[in-house]
Amino acid sequence: MAVETRVLDDDCVPISGWARTSPTLARVRRPRGSAEVAAALRAGDPRGALARGLGRAYGDAAQNAGGTVLDMTGLARILAFDAAAGLVVCEAGISLHRLMTALLPRGFFLPVTPATRYVTAGGAVAADVHGANHPGAGSFARHVVALDLLTPDGEVRTALPGTPLFDATTGGLGLTGIVLTVTLRLLSVETSLLSVDTERVRDLDELMARLAVAPPGREGAPPAYEIARIDPLARGAATGRAVLIRARHAPYAALPRRHPARRAPLAFRPVTLPAPPPYVPGGLLGRTALGLAGALRYGAAPRRSTGRLRPLSAVLHPLDALPHGNRLYGPGGFVPYRCAVPYGQEETLCRIVRRIAARRFPALPAVLTRFGDAGPGWLSYPLPGWSLGIDLPAGLPGLPAFLDALDEEVLGAGGRVQLAADSRVRPGAVAAMYPRLADFRALRAALDPGAVLRSDLSRRLAF
């Protein structure tokens, strides 16, 4: 019997990244199993096909103008769980949220999680996502034991760490094949709480000094997670002021005697606020309103607090507190800027922060984190150094030229921008940012000579 995918809409529908800019039209299909995924590839759409998860890629990496987009969220089962080995096997369309909900009560957590739980396992592989614990944990691929990958020739291949197919796929933005299943090594935890240290930092120089050396924990270990949220509208002597957060997984023994979590230490209860309205007035995110909000946020943070117990999601998943938070920037959306520069290039990093502050763009806090060793992914974003991210309203006067100038700063420092968040970097800059790009293109050409797998990003950057 012929296998057919379920078509969500016979006509093309608009699809955009989470930033809500540059939407394009595609035919969306929702396969319910691997056979339907293979059938969709065999159908041979002239504009190609591409897998898509929950749509949290900021830019155009999960769009395919005029072609087919496979909504993989119908493949969302946990196939196997081995508590003794600390391994889970899951289908690619399952969300990290569902994995956490299933695994935390059993004493396991994901070793790497980005700032949102609403990413699929396949999307986490395709973007090789990282978290605020990168120096110790690396990115997502470091904990992947095996991938089942449907390649454009119709074969299902098992990609293992240390092989070219694995290294091209982790961070490869879905262009080497369609991930069907992921085998992931988990992190053992005793509670669903973090022990959090928070402090206010007065300016950029003090922030860099604080971040230069991670303070030891009570057991002599550095913090597992470290995040600096910088007020982008602070200027003058306060430029770069930030709230610095350091956190560790809280052991059961650290819970106070009468703490309510002692009865259910592994309960997972993320807090969610009401969603913003579909239309947000421009003044709500204007410079004055955001400047006041930034001052209040900074002033409300403790000068210094240690050991406060907080739920995992409250610290690690700030993007999920407000559903549809991407509406905050209004109907025009926003432009995300994510860049990494190596250690030793702190002057460049500080110059970028100061340039952003000097323009006084209306924006929510910028996020600064540290990266450890780079992973194996040929197009993975992390490199040993610093990562800075900020979201800027689309349509700001002079924004494209300003971001191009930041790209030049990043390039000159030997850094890179994050492709999974991008929709505007110039193609000529990418080869300098990602030295293994030529290897990626060669492997992709061998795997997919007919260009079955395509995306708006692959066309824009000539992948």
Side-chain angles (χ1 to χ4, degrees), residues 80 84 205 224 251 271 288 303 318 422-423:
D205 290 338
V271 176
T288 302
R303 291 183 181 274
D422 177 67
S423 60

Side-chain angles (χ1 to χ4, degrees), residues 18 37 65 102 108 123-124 134 141 179 204 207 221 333 409 415 439 452 462:
W18 187 246
V37 178
F108 290 95
H134 191 275
V179 178
L204 187 58
L207 176 62
E409 293 260 20
D439 296 326
V452 173

Side-chain angles (χ1 to χ4, degrees), residues 125 144-149 157-159 166 169-170 179 181-183:
V125 169
V144 173
V145 175
L147 299 170
D148 281 346
L149 188 72
R157 306 169 189 244
T158 298
F166 184 92
T169 299
T170 53
V179 178
T181 69
V182 180
T183 303

Side-chain angles (χ1 to χ4, degrees), residues 153-182:
D153 57 8
E155 286 191 41
V156 176
R157 306 169 189 244
T158 298
L160 300 175
T163 63
L165 183 57
F166 184 92
D167 294 348
T169 299
T170 53
L173 304 170
L175 296 173
T176 61
I178 295 180
V179 178
L180 299 175
T181 69
V182 180

Side-chain angles (χ1 to χ4, degrees), residues 9-408:
D9 194 324
D10 288 325
D11 299 319
C12 288
V13 297
I15 295 177
S16 73
W18 187 246
R20 305 176 75 199
T21 57
S22 307
T24 54
L25 300 175
R27 283 172 290 279
V28 178
R29 298 175 182 265
R30 191 171 189 261
R32 292 162 292 193
S34 58
E36 294 187 2
V37 178
L41 289 192
R42 287 197 303 270
D45 191 313
R47 291 285 291 178
L50 183 73
R52 180 181 172 96
L54 291 167
R56 289 302 182 103
Y58 286 96
D60 56 5
Q63 297 172 216
N64 182 25
T68 297
V69 168
L70 302 178
D71 176 348
M72 296 294 289
T73 56
L75 284 75
R77 295 176 298 165
I78 293 178
L79 302 175
F81 170 66
D82 185 338
L87 295 175
V88 66
V89 184
C90 61
E91 290 183 313
I94 195 169
S95 70
L96 301 190
H97 172 81
R98 286 188 62 189
L99 282 174
M100 292 174 199
T101 301
L103 296 171
L104 254 176
R106 302 183 183 202
F108 290 95
F109 190 62
L110 300 184
V112 170
T113 172
T116 173
R117 307 183 303 279
Y118 296 102
V119 173
T120 61
V125 169
D128 195 16
V129 297
H130 64 274
N133 60 343
H134 191 275
S139 54
F140 198 81
R142 178 171 163 182
H143 307 276
V144 173
V145 175
L147 299 170
D148 281 346
L149 188 72
L150 176 67
T151 48
D153 57 8
E155 286 191 41
V156 176
R157 306 169 189 244
T158 298
L160 300 175
T163 63
L165 183 57
F166 184 92
D167 294 348
T169 299
T170 53
L173 304 170
L175 296 173
T176 61
I178 295 180
V179 178
L180 299 175
T181 69
V182 180
T183 303
L184 184 67
R185 184 177 294 109
L186 302 170
L187 175 69
S188 176
V189 296
E190 297 180 15
T191 74
S192 61
L193 300 174
L194 294 177
S195 175
V196 181
D197 301 341
T198 305
E199 59 183 312
R200 292 195 315 226
V201 183
R202 292 173 299 179
D203 56 38
L204 187 58
D205 290 338
E206 183 180 345
L207 176 62
M208 297 306 295
R210 297 282 180 88
L211 290 170
V213 179
R218 283 173 286 280
E219 294 81 25
Y225 305 95
E226 186 176 62
I227 312 160
R229 296 195 172 105
I230 300 173
D231 182 353
L233 285 167
R235 54 181 175 169
T239 298
R241 72 179 177 191
V243 177
L244 178 59
I245 299 169
R246 292 177 167 124
R248 304 165 182 81
H249 287 278
Y252 184 79
L255 302 184
R257 187 174 179 180
R258 297 189 179 182
H259 195 284
R262 291 186 74 88
R263 296 180 180 178
L266 292 166
F268 184 49
R269 302 188 185 96
V271 176
T272 302
L273 302 174
Y279 174 73
V280 176
L284 187 62
L285 281 186
R287 184 183 298 168
T288 302
L290 282 173
L292 177 60
L296 291 173
R297 186 184 303 109
Y298 178 79
R303 291 183 181 274
R304 181 167 297 183
S305 70
T306 59
R308 181 185 176 192
L309 295 175
R310 298 188 66 195
L312 284 162
S313 248
V315 179
L316 301 183
H317 306 130
L319 300 183
D320 298 335
L322 193 66
H324 304 293
N326 57 343
R327 295 177 185 169
L328 285 174
Y329 288 89
F334 63 95
V335 178
Y337 193 75
R338 308 285 184 272
C339 67
V341 298
Y343 291 123
Q345 294 293 330
E346 287 74 17
E347 279 191 26
T348 299
L349 175 67
C350 291
R351 192 160 54 245
I352 289 172
V353 172
R354 290 190 175 102
R355 289 182 71 164
I356 292 171
R359 291 294 294 265
R360 302 206 70 219
F361 289 128
L364 296 172
V367 176
L368 177 66
T369 56
R370 291 193 286 186
F371 282 158
D373 293 339
W378 291 349
L379 298 185
S380 292
Y381 169 59
L383 52 75
W386 305 92
S387 174
L388 179 71
I390 188 169
D391 298 331
L392 301 168
L396 288 173
L399 183 61
F402 178 77
L403 295 181
D404 286 344
L406 293 191
D407 287 348
E408 292 301 317

